Coordinates of all heavy atoms in Angstrom, one line a residue:
M20 N 190.9 206.1 316.5 CA 190.4 207.3 315.8 C 190.1 207.0 314.4 O 190.9 206.4 313.7 CB 191.4 208.4 315.9 CG 191.0 209.7 315.3 SD 192.2 211.0 315.5 CE 191.7 211.7 317.0
V21 N 189.0 207.4 313.9 CA 188.6 207.2 312.5 C 188.7 208.5 311.7 O 188.3 209.6 312.1 CB 187.1 206.8 312.4 CG1 186.7 206.6 311.0 CG2 186.9 205.5 313.2
Y22 N 189.4 208.4 310.6 CA 189.6 209.6 309.7 C 188.7 209.5 308.5 O 188.6 208.4 307.9 CB 191.1 209.6 309.2 CG 192.0 209.9 310.3 CD1 192.8 208.9 310.9 CD2 192.2 211.2 310.8 CE1 193.7 209.1 311.9 CE2 193.1 211.4 311.9 CZ 193.8 210.4 312.4 OH 194.7 210.6 313.4
V23 N 188.1 210.6 308.2 CA 187.2 210.6 307.0 C 187.8 211.7 306.0 O 188.1 212.8 306.4 CB 185.8 211.0 307.4 CG1 184.9 211.2 306.2 CG2 185.2 210.0 308.4
Q24 N 188.0 211.2 304.8 CA 188.6 212.2 303.8 C 187.5 213.1 303.4 O 186.4 212.7 303.1 CB 189.1 211.4 302.6 CG 189.8 212.3 301.6 CD 190.7 211.6 300.7 OE1 191.0 210.4 300.9 NE2 191.1 212.3 299.6
T25 N 187.8 214.4 303.3 CA 186.8 215.4 302.9 C 187.0 215.7 301.4 O 188.1 215.6 300.9 CB 187.1 216.7 303.6 OG1 187.7 216.5 304.9 CG2 185.8 217.4 303.9
N26 N 185.9 216.0 300.8 CA 185.9 216.3 299.4 C 185.8 217.9 299.3 O 184.9 218.5 299.8 CB 184.8 215.6 298.7 CG 184.7 215.9 297.3 OD1 185.1 216.9 296.7 ND2 184.0 215.0 296.6
L27 N 186.7 218.5 298.5 CA 186.7 219.9 298.3 C 185.4 220.4 297.9 O 184.9 221.5 298.3 CB 187.8 220.3 297.3 CG 187.8 221.8 296.8 CD1 188.2 222.7 298.0 CD2 188.8 221.9 295.7
Y28 N 184.7 219.7 297.0 CA 183.4 220.1 296.5 C 182.3 220.1 297.5 O 181.2 220.7 297.3 CB 183.0 219.3 295.3 CG 184.0 219.5 294.2 CD1 185.0 218.5 293.8 CD2 184.0 220.7 293.4 CE1 185.9 218.7 292.8 CE2 184.9 220.9 292.4 CZ 185.8 219.9 292.1 OH 186.8 220.1 291.1
Q29 N 182.5 219.5 298.7 CA 181.5 219.5 299.7 C 181.5 220.9 300.3 O 180.5 221.3 300.9 CB 181.8 218.5 300.8 CG 181.6 217.1 300.3 CD 182.1 216.1 301.3 OE1 183.1 216.3 302.0 NE2 181.4 214.9 301.4
F30 N 182.6 221.6 300.2 CA 182.6 223.0 300.8 C 182.3 224.1 299.7 O 181.8 225.1 300.1 CB 184.0 223.3 301.3 CG 184.4 222.4 302.5 CD1 185.2 221.3 302.3 CD2 183.8 222.6 303.7 CE1 185.5 220.5 303.4 CE2 184.1 221.7 304.8 CZ 185.0 220.7 304.6
I31 N 182.7 223.8 298.5 CA 182.4 224.8 297.4 C 181.0 224.6 296.9 O 180.1 225.3 297.3 CB 183.4 224.6 296.3 CG1 184.8 224.8 296.8 CG2 183.1 225.6 295.1 CD1 185.9 224.6 295.7
S32 N 180.8 223.6 296.1 CA 179.5 223.3 295.5 C 179.6 222.0 294.7 O 180.5 221.8 293.9 CB 179.0 224.4 294.6 OG 177.8 224.0 293.9
L33 N 178.7 221.1 295.0 CA 178.7 219.8 294.3 C 178.5 220.0 292.8 O 179.1 219.2 292.0 CB 177.7 218.9 294.9 CG 178.0 218.2 296.2 CD1 176.8 217.3 296.6 CD2 179.3 217.4 296.2
S34 N 177.8 221.0 292.4 CA 177.5 221.2 291.0 C 178.8 221.6 290.2 O 178.8 221.6 289.0 CB 176.4 222.3 290.8 OG 176.9 223.5 291.3
D35 N 179.9 221.9 291.0 CA 181.1 222.2 290.3 C 182.0 221.0 290.2 O 183.0 221.0 289.5 CB 181.9 223.3 291.1 CG 181.3 224.6 291.1 OD1 180.7 225.0 290.1 OD2 181.4 225.4 292.1
D36 N 181.6 219.9 290.8 CA 182.4 218.7 290.8 C 182.1 217.9 289.4 O 181.0 217.6 289.1 CB 182.0 217.8 291.9 CG 182.8 216.5 292.0 OD1 183.5 216.1 291.0 OD2 182.8 215.9 293.1
P37 N 183.1 217.7 288.6 CA 182.9 217.0 287.3 C 182.3 215.6 287.5 O 181.5 215.2 286.7 CB 184.3 216.9 286.7 CG 185.3 217.6 287.6 CD 184.5 218.0 288.8
V38 N 182.6 214.9 288.5 CA 182.0 213.6 288.8 C 180.5 213.7 289.1 O 179.7 213.0 288.5 CB 182.7 212.8 289.9 CG1 182.0 211.5 290.3 CG2 184.2 212.5 289.5
F39 N 180.2 214.6 289.9 CA 178.8 214.9 290.2 C 178.0 215.3 289.0 O 176.9 214.8 288.7 CB 178.6 216.0 291.3 CG 177.2 216.2 291.7 CD1 176.6 215.4 292.7 CD2 176.5 217.2 291.1 CE1 175.3 215.7 293.1 CE2 175.1 217.5 291.5 CZ 174.6 216.7 292.5
R40 N 178.6 216.2 288.2 CA 177.9 216.6 287.0 C 177.7 215.5 286.0 O 176.6 215.4 285.4 CB 178.7 217.7 286.3 CG 178.5 219.1 287.0 CD 179.0 220.2 286.1 NE 180.3 219.9 285.5 CZ 181.4 220.6 285.6 NH1 181.4 221.7 286.3 NH2 182.5 220.2 285.0
K41 N 178.7 214.6 285.8 CA 178.5 213.4 284.9 C 177.4 212.5 285.4 O 176.5 212.1 284.6 CB 179.8 212.6 284.9 CG 180.9 213.2 284.1 CD 182.1 212.3 284.0 CE 183.2 212.9 283.2 NZ 184.3 212.0 283.1
I42 N 177.3 212.3 286.7 CA 176.2 211.4 287.2 C 174.9 212.1 287.1 O 173.9 211.5 286.7 CB 176.5 211.0 288.6 CG1 177.8 210.1 288.7 CG2 175.3 210.2 289.2 CD1 178.3 209.9 290.1
N43 N 174.8 213.4 287.4 CA 173.6 214.2 287.4 C 173.1 214.3 286.0 O 171.8 214.4 285.8 CB 173.9 215.6 288.0 CG 172.6 216.3 288.2 OD1 171.6 215.8 288.6 ND2 172.7 217.6 287.8
N44 N 173.9 214.3 285.0 CA 173.5 214.5 283.6 C 173.0 213.2 282.9 O 172.5 213.2 281.8 CB 174.6 215.1 282.7 CG 174.8 216.5 283.1 OD1 173.9 217.2 283.5 ND2 176.0 217.0 282.8
L45 N 173.1 212.1 283.6 CA 172.7 210.8 283.1 C 171.2 210.8 282.8 O 170.4 211.3 283.7 CB 173.0 209.6 284.0 CG 174.4 209.1 284.1 CD1 174.6 208.1 285.2 CD2 174.8 208.5 282.7
K46 N 170.8 210.3 281.7 CA 169.3 210.1 281.4 C 169.1 208.6 281.6 O 170.0 207.8 281.5 CB 169.0 210.5 279.9 CG 169.4 211.9 279.6 CD 168.6 212.9 280.3 CE 168.9 214.3 279.9 NZ 169.2 215.2 280.9
I47 N 167.8 208.2 281.7 CA 167.5 206.8 281.9 C 168.0 206.0 280.7 O 167.8 206.4 279.5 CB 165.9 206.6 282.0 CG1 165.5 207.3 283.3 CG2 165.5 205.2 281.9 CD1 164.0 207.3 283.5
G48 N 168.7 205.0 281.0 CA 169.3 204.1 280.0 C 170.8 204.5 279.6 O 171.5 203.7 278.9
D49 N 171.2 205.7 280.0 CA 172.6 206.1 279.8 C 173.6 205.4 280.7 O 173.2 205.0 281.8 CB 172.8 207.6 280.0 CG 172.2 208.4 278.9 OD1 171.8 207.8 277.9 OD2 172.1 209.7 279.0
E50 N 174.8 205.2 280.2 CA 175.9 204.6 281.0 C 177.2 205.4 280.7 O 177.4 205.8 279.6 CB 176.1 203.2 280.5 CG 177.2 202.4 281.2 CD 177.3 201.0 280.8 OE1 176.4 200.2 281.1 OE2 178.3 200.7 280.0
I51 N 177.9 205.6 281.8 CA 179.2 206.3 281.7 C 180.3 205.6 282.4 O 180.0 204.7 283.3 CB 179.2 207.8 282.3 CG1 178.7 207.8 283.7 CG2 178.3 208.7 281.4 CD1 178.8 209.1 284.4
Q52 N 181.5 205.9 282.1 CA 182.7 205.2 282.8 C 183.3 206.3 283.7 O 183.6 207.4 283.2 CB 183.7 204.7 281.8 CG 184.8 203.9 282.3 CD 184.4 202.5 282.6 OE1 183.5 201.9 281.9 NE2 185.0 201.9 283.5
I53 N 183.4 206.0 285.0 CA 184.2 206.8 285.9 C 185.2 206.0 286.6 O 184.9 205.1 287.3 CB 183.2 207.5 287.0 CG1 182.2 208.4 286.3 CG2 184.0 208.3 288.0 CD1 181.2 209.0 287.3
D54 N 186.5 206.3 286.3 CA 187.6 205.4 286.7 C 187.3 204.0 286.3 O 187.1 203.8 285.1 CB 187.7 205.6 288.3 CG 189.1 205.2 288.8 OD1 190.1 205.5 288.1 OD2 189.2 204.7 289.9
S55 N 187.3 203.0 287.2 CA 187.1 201.7 286.7 C 185.6 201.2 286.9 O 185.3 200.1 286.8 CB 188.0 200.7 287.6 OG 187.5 200.7 288.9
F56 N 184.7 202.2 287.1 CA 183.3 201.9 287.3 C 182.4 202.3 286.2 O 182.6 203.4 285.6 CB 182.9 202.6 288.6 CG 183.6 202.2 289.8 CD1 184.7 203.0 290.2 CD2 183.4 201.1 290.5 CE1 185.5 202.7 291.3 CE2 184.1 200.7 291.6 CZ 185.2 201.5 292.0
K57 N 181.5 201.5 285.9 CA 180.4 201.8 285.0 C 179.3 202.4 285.8 O 178.9 201.7 286.8 CB 179.9 200.6 284.2 CG 180.8 200.1 283.1 CD 180.2 199.0 282.4 CE 181.3 198.4 281.4 NZ 180.7 197.2 280.8
V58 N 178.7 203.5 285.5 CA 177.6 204.1 286.2 C 176.4 204.2 285.2 O 176.6 204.7 284.1 CB 177.9 205.5 286.8 CG1 176.8 206.0 287.5 CG2 179.2 205.4 287.6
R59 N 175.3 203.6 285.6 CA 174.1 203.5 284.7 C 172.9 204.0 285.5 O 172.8 203.8 286.7 CB 173.9 202.1 284.3 CG 172.8 201.8 283.4 CD 172.7 200.3 283.1 NE 174.0 199.7 282.7 CZ 174.7 198.8 283.5 NH1 174.2 198.5 284.7 NH2 175.8 198.3 283.1
K60 N 172.0 204.7 284.7 CA 170.8 205.2 285.3 C 169.7 204.4 284.7 O 169.5 204.3 283.5 CB 170.6 206.7 285.1 CG 169.3 207.2 285.8 CD 169.2 208.7 285.6 CE 167.9 209.2 286.4 NZ 167.8 210.6 286.2
T61 N 168.9 203.8 285.6 CA 167.7 203.0 285.2 C 166.5 203.8 285.6 O 166.6 204.9 286.2 CB 167.6 201.6 285.8 OG1 167.4 201.7 287.2 CG2 168.9 200.8 285.4
E62 N 165.3 203.3 285.4 CA 164.1 204.0 285.8 C 164.0 204.2 287.3 O 163.4 205.1 287.8 CB 162.8 203.3 285.3 CG 162.6 203.4 283.8 CD 161.3 202.8 283.4 OE1 160.4 202.7 284.2 OE2 161.3 202.4 282.2
R63 N 164.6 203.2 288.1 CA 164.5 203.3 289.5 C 165.8 203.5 290.3 O 165.8 203.9 291.4 CB 163.9 201.9 290.0 CG 162.5 201.7 289.5 CD 161.9 200.4 290.0 NE 161.9 200.4 291.5 CZ 161.8 199.2 292.1 NH1 161.7 198.1 291.5 NH2 161.8 199.3 293.5
F64 N 166.9 203.2 289.6 CA 168.2 203.2 290.4 C 169.3 203.8 289.6 O 169.3 203.9 288.3 CB 168.6 201.8 290.7 CG 167.7 201.0 291.6 CD1 166.9 200.0 291.1 CD2 167.5 201.4 292.9 CE1 166.0 199.4 291.9 CE2 166.6 200.7 293.7 CZ 165.8 199.7 293.2
Y65 N 170.4 204.1 290.3 CA 171.7 204.4 289.7 C 172.5 203.1 290.0 O 172.5 202.6 291.2 CB 172.4 205.6 290.4 CG 171.8 206.9 290.1 CD1 170.8 207.4 290.9 CD2 172.2 207.6 289.0 CE1 170.2 208.6 290.5 CE2 171.6 208.8 288.7 CZ 170.6 209.3 289.5 OH 170.1 210.5 289.2
E66 N 173.1 202.5 289.0 CA 173.8 201.3 289.2 C 175.3 201.6 289.0 O 175.7 202.3 288.1 CB 173.5 200.2 288.1 CG 172.0 199.8 288.2 CD 171.7 198.7 287.2 OE1 172.7 198.1 286.6 OE2 170.5 198.4 287.0
V67 N 176.1 201.1 289.9 CA 177.6 201.2 289.9 C 178.2 199.8 289.8 O 177.9 199.0 290.7 CB 178.1 202.0 291.1 CG1 179.6 202.1 291.0 CG2 177.5 203.4 291.2
E68 N 179.0 199.5 288.8 CA 179.6 198.2 288.8 C 181.0 198.2 288.2 O 181.3 199.1 287.4 CB 178.7 197.3 288.0 CG 178.6 197.6 286.5 CD 177.7 196.6 285.8 OE1 178.1 195.4 285.7 OE2 176.6 196.9 285.4
N69 N 181.7 197.2 288.5 CA 183.0 196.9 287.9 C 183.1 195.4 288.0 O 182.2 194.7 288.3 CB 184.2 197.7 288.5 CG 184.5 197.3 289.9 OD1 184.0 196.4 290.5 ND2 185.4 198.1 290.5
E70 N 184.3 194.8 287.9 CA 184.5 193.4 287.9 C 184.2 192.8 289.3 O 183.9 191.7 289.5 CB 185.9 193.0 287.5 CG 186.2 193.2 286.0 CD 187.6 192.8 285.6 OE1 188.3 192.2 286.4 OE2 187.9 193.1 284.5
D71 N 184.4 193.7 290.4 CA 184.3 193.2 291.7 C 183.0 193.5 292.4 O 182.7 192.9 293.5 CB 185.4 193.8 292.6 CG 186.8 193.4 292.0 OD1 186.9 192.2 291.6 OD2 187.7 194.2 292.0
L72 N 182.2 194.4 291.9 CA 180.9 194.8 292.6 C 179.8 195.3 291.7 O 180.1 195.6 290.5 CB 181.2 195.9 293.7 CG 181.8 197.3 293.2 CD1 180.6 198.2 292.8 CD2 182.6 197.9 294.3
H73 N 178.6 195.2 292.2 CA 177.5 195.8 291.5 C 176.5 196.3 292.6 O 176.0 195.6 293.4 CB 176.8 194.7 290.7 CG 175.6 195.2 289.9 ND1 174.5 194.4 289.6 CD2 175.4 196.4 289.3 CE1 173.7 195.1 288.9 NE2 174.2 196.3 288.7
E74 N 176.5 197.6 292.7 CA 175.7 198.3 293.7 C 174.6 199.1 293.1 O 174.7 199.7 292.0 CB 176.6 199.2 294.6 CG 177.7 198.5 295.3 CD 177.3 197.7 296.5 OE1 176.2 198.0 297.1 OE2 177.9 196.7 296.8
L75 N 173.5 199.2 293.8 CA 172.3 200.0 293.4 C 172.1 201.1 294.4 O 172.2 200.9 295.6 CB 171.1 199.1 293.3 CG 171.1 197.9 292.4 CD1 169.8 197.1 292.5 CD2 171.3 198.4 291.0
F76 N 171.7 202.3 293.9 CA 171.4 203.5 294.7 C 170.1 204.1 294.3 O 169.9 204.3 293.1 CB 172.6 204.5 294.7 CG 173.9 203.9 295.1 CD1 174.7 203.3 294.2 CD2 174.2 203.8 296.5 CE1 175.9 202.8 294.6 CE2 175.4 203.2 296.9 CZ 176.3 202.7 295.9
N77 N 169.3 204.5 295.2 CA 168.0 205.1 294.9 C 168.1 206.6 294.8 O 167.0 207.2 294.5 CB 166.9 204.6 295.8 CG 167.2 205.1 297.2 OD1 168.2 205.8 297.5 ND2 166.3 204.7 298.2
S78 N 169.3 207.2 294.9 CA 169.4 208.6 294.8 C 170.7 209.0 294.2 O 171.7 208.3 294.3 CB 169.2 209.4 296.1 OG 170.3 209.2 296.9
L79 N 170.7 210.2 293.6 CA 171.9 210.7 293.0 C 173.0 210.9 294.1 O 174.2 210.6 293.9 CB 171.6 212.0 292.3 CG 172.8 212.9 291.9 CD1 173.7 212.2 290.8 CD2 172.3 214.2 291.3
D80 N 172.6 211.5 295.2 CA 173.5 211.8 296.3 C 174.2 210.5 296.9 O 175.4 210.6 297.1 CB 172.8 212.5 297.5 CG 172.4 213.9 297.1 OD1 173.0 214.5 296.2 OD2 171.4 214.4 297.6
K81 N 173.4 209.5 297.0 CA 174.0 208.2 297.5 C 175.0 207.6 296.5 O 176.1 207.1 296.9 CB 172.9 207.2 297.9 CG 172.1 207.6 299.1 CD 171.0 206.6 299.4 CE 170.2 207.1 300.6 NZ 169.1 206.2 300.8
C82 N 174.6 207.7 295.3 CA 175.5 207.2 294.2 C 176.8 208.0 294.2 O 177.9 207.4 294.1 CB 174.8 207.2 292.9 SG 175.8 206.6 291.5
Y83 N 176.7 209.3 294.2 CA 177.8 210.2 294.2 C 178.7 209.9 295.4 O 180.0 209.8 295.2 CB 177.4 211.6 294.1 CG 178.5 212.6 294.3 CD1 179.5 212.8 293.3 CD2 178.7 213.2 295.5 CE1 180.5 213.7 293.5 CE2 179.7 214.1 295.8 CZ 180.6 214.3 294.8 OH 181.7 215.2 295.0
S84 N 178.2 209.8 296.5 CA 179.0 209.6 297.7 C 179.7 208.3 297.7 O 180.9 208.2 298.0 CB 178.1 209.6 299.0 OG 177.5 210.8 299.2
F85 N 179.1 207.3 297.1 CA 179.8 206.0 297.0 C 180.9 206.1 296.0 O 182.1 205.7 296.3 CB 178.8 204.9 296.5 CG 179.4 203.6 296.4 CD1 179.6 202.8 297.5 CD2 179.6 203.1 295.1 CE1 180.2 201.5 297.3 CE2 180.2 201.8 294.9 CZ 180.4 201.0 296.1
I86 N 180.7 206.6 294.9 CA 181.8 206.8 293.9 C 182.9 207.6 294.4 O 184.1 207.3 294.3 CB 181.2 207.4 292.6 CG1 180.3 206.5 291.9 CG2 182.3 207.8 291.6 CD1 180.9 205.3 291.1
S87 N 182.5 208.7 295.0 CA 183.6 209.6 295.6 C 184.5 209.0 296.6 O 185.6 209.3 296.7 CB 182.9 210.9 296.2 OG 182.3 211.6 295.3
S88 N 183.9 208.1 297.4 CA 184.7 207.4 298.4 C 185.6 206.4 297.8 O 186.6 206.0 298.5 CB 183.7 206.7 299.4 OG 183.1 205.6 298.8
L89 N 185.4 206.0 296.6 CA 186.3 205.0 296.0 C 187.3 205.5 295.0 O 188.3 204.8 294.7 CB 185.4 204.0 295.2 CG 184.4 203.2 296.0 CD1 183.5 202.3 295.1 CD2 185.1 202.3 297.0
I90 N 187.1 206.7 294.5 CA 188.1 207.2 293.5 C 189.0 208.3 294.2 O 188.7 208.8 295.2 CB 187.4 207.8 292.3 CG1 186.4 208.9 292.6 CG2 186.7 206.7 291.5 CD1 185.9 209.6 291.3

């Protein structure tokens, strides 16, 4: 059996989630720190990185889902 953790904001509204708002408010070239991750917005991607990984996402939703699953 596989368990998936649910996020409260999936039921209320993602726009109320402080993590979603931080990522959503990024402008091109901006970078923020969320937990141990740097999140950066480029012209084409959202980049998430720390010492162990560097991932690219082509949408806000995919970036948010990835971050949410790790923190």
Side-chain angles (χ1 to χ4, degrees):
M20 180 176 272
V21 175
Y22 294 100
V23 176
Q24 184 165 345
T25 336
N26 181 335
L27 172 66
Y28 296 105
Q29 291 172 326
F30 296 104
I31 299 174
S32 171
L33 285 180
S34 63
D35 292 328
D36 184 344
V38 172
F39 182 85
R40 283 195 314 236
K41 284 182 178 182
I42 298 169
N43 189 41
N44 289 335
L45 283 173
K46 305 291 185 235
I47 293 174
D49 285 352
E50 178 179 290
I51 57 173
Q52 188 80 28
I53 298 177
D54 201 35
S55 67
F56 302 96
K57 289 182 186 176
V58 181
R59 181 180 311 108
K60 184 175 181 181
T61 68
E62 288 186 27
R63 295 180 59 201
F64 300 106
Y65 290 90
E66 297 182 13
V67 177
E68 67 178 291
N69 67 11
E70 291 181 10
D71 300 320
L72 62 86
H73 185 210
E74 299 288 331
L75 301 174
F76 302 94
N77 62 2
S78 74
L79 169 63
D80 291 333
K81 290 178 184 177
C82 179
Y83 169 75
S84 294
F85 180 77
I86 292 284
S87 293
S88 71
L89 297 175
I90 58 174

